[in-house]
Amino acid sequence: MPSKIPKPQDPAALSRRSLLRTGAAGAAASLVPLSALAQTAGPTAAGSSKGTEHWAVKETGADRVRLYLWRKPAVTASGSAVKGTIIFVHGSSMASTPSFDLQVPGQPEYSVMDWFAARGYDTWCVDMEGYGKSDKKRAINSDISTGADDIAAAARYIKGLTGAGKFLLYGISSGSLRVALFAQRQPELVERIVLDAFVWTGEGSRTLEQRRKRLAEYEASNRRKISRQTVHNIFTRDHPDTADMAVVDVFADAVLALDDSVPTGTYVDMSKNLPIVDPLRIAAPTLILRGQYDGIAAFEDITSFFIKLPNSDKQLVVMAGIAHSSLHEKNHLLVNHAMHAFFTQPAPVYRG
């Protein structure tokens, strides 16, 4: 059964439009008011938060790029404050809603957005340019830098809509590189970041070593085909049996309902252009998550990055029994637990 993902309405058909434009790293976000949203969906599972579709507009040169955002608001008692605003950022081979709001029959905890919304967080995810329901019209390969601009546009939109001051951000795989680069560029918008399945220089990465053999192919085209086998390989290449393949099939259905190809930019960057982020320029408190069997995130590579982070409020957590795609594996609740603990830890009373 595929994830329940609502169909977007053409923003040109929306009435009573009000636009708010603010600059961010060469991009600007346009704000569509809540009253003019497209379809409202849900709840998608028993007790889950209702979802709403949103659109940010990234302006870059003469182009206005529509970016799709999906929101699951906090489930709170009347009068209770929202505990924080989370932006989830997806990886190289799939859009955002399958990654973060996957609806698995009988297993609602696979939606990390529902899990955090139930604990009082305003949760958002965004399709990077070239993925899912976001625009695919520009002749670009949507590299990591482009993705950091997309996060900036999404953050400005959410800030304008909700008044959120700073954001909690989670990125997985190439999404963690996008998050790290965004945090490096715009620290004023960042409260805390979580980098899952992260890679810094790529040294020691088995998967990237194999990917480099196809670099010429990725550089020759802005997009690459994906299939059910592509999704299956994500869960079988590192270590057998870390994921329930019935869940993987639900995930594959949701991924392929949105895309039959994805941009090549992150593959090119991770095969050729690392390092892309400078740990010395990341001021935010940082949690790095690494699955025990992850074939991309080499342990020595991420520990070298971790040591250089200047903020002493930092953690590195190794998650037992997990490979690369942590949120859809059998031990996925380890991710939620580590992230929730990081977001809720008390502020230090002494810093020396």
Side-chain angles (χ1 to χ4, degrees), residues 7-28:
K7 297 180 180 179
Q9 180 177 335
D10 185 349
L14 298 174
S15 61
R16 294 184 295 169
R17 185 179 299 258
S18 173
L19 299 179
L20 175 63
R21 295 178 182 172
T22 53

Side-chain angles (χ1 to χ4, degrees), residues 2-59:
S3 174
K4 299 178 182 177
I5 303 171
K7 297 180 180 179
Q9 180 177 335
D10 185 349
L14 298 174
S15 61
R16 294 184 295 169
R17 185 179 299 258
S18 173
L19 299 179
L20 175 63
R21 295 178 182 172
T22 53
S30 295
L31 173 63
V32 179
L34 189 61
S35 61
L37 289 176
Q39 183 174 348
T40 299
T44 49
S48 71
S49 172
K50 289 185 177 181
T52 51
E53 293 185 314
H54 300 248
W55 297 88
V57 176
K58 179 180 67 172
E59 294 188 350

Side-chain angles (χ1 to χ4, degrees), residues 288-306:
I288 298 176
L289 300 177
R290 196 261 179 182
Q292 177 185 2
Y293 299 116
D294 193 340
I296 287 184
F299 190 69
E300 293 79 6
D301 188 39
I302 59 174
T303 53
S304 297
F305 180 88
F306 177 81

Side-chain angles (χ1 to χ4, degrees), residues 48-175:
S48 71
S49 172
K50 289 185 177 181
T52 51
E53 293 185 314
H54 300 248
W55 297 88
V57 176
K58 179 180 67 172
E59 294 188 350
T60 175
D63 293 310
R64 298 181 78 252
V65 179
R66 297 184 310 145
L67 299 174
Y68 175 80
L69 285 75
W70 177 242
R71 180 190 193 186
K72 287 291 190 76
V75 179
T76 59
S78 178
S80 297
V82 172
K83 293 181 179 178
T85 302
I86 308 174
I87 301 176
F88 292 98
V89 182
H90 64 79
S92 297
S93 298
M94 67 290 296
S96 63
T97 43
S99 300
F100 306 118
D101 195 24
L102 188 70
Q103 301 297 323
V104 180
Q107 301 187 70
E109 73 279 358
Y110 272 100
S111 168
V112 68
M113 294 181 74
D114 280 341
W115 196 93
F116 274 94
R119 286 157 179 80
Y121 292 85
D122 189 14
T123 67
W124 296 76
C125 62
V126 52
D127 288 350
M128 302 286 99
E129 181 178 359
Y131 289 85
K133 298 178 183 179
S134 288
D135 274 351
K136 303 172 183 177
K137 62 186 180 182
R138 291 203 297 163
I140 64 169
N141 67 3
S142 297
D143 61 7
I144 288 165
S145 181
T146 300
D149 288 344
D150 294 341
I151 299 172
R156 298 290 183 182
Y157 172 88
I158 298 167
K159 184 179 179 72
L161 182 70
T162 69
K166 292 189 175 185
F167 297 93
L168 306 164
L169 293 109
Y170 168 93
I172 186 166
S173 192
S174 63

Side-chain angles (χ1 to χ4, degrees), residues 13 19 26 59 64 76 121 125 142 153 162 165 182 191 200 218 222 224 231 242 287 311 315 323 336 351:
L19 299 179
E59 294 188 350
R64 298 181 78 252
T76 59
Y121 292 85
C125 62
S142 297
T162 69
F182 168 73
E191 184 175 351
W200 180 32
Y218 300 138
N222 286 331
R224 59 184 172 87
V231 178
T242 59
L287 167 64
N311 193 327
Q315 298 177 25
N336 298 13
R351 288 188 177 271

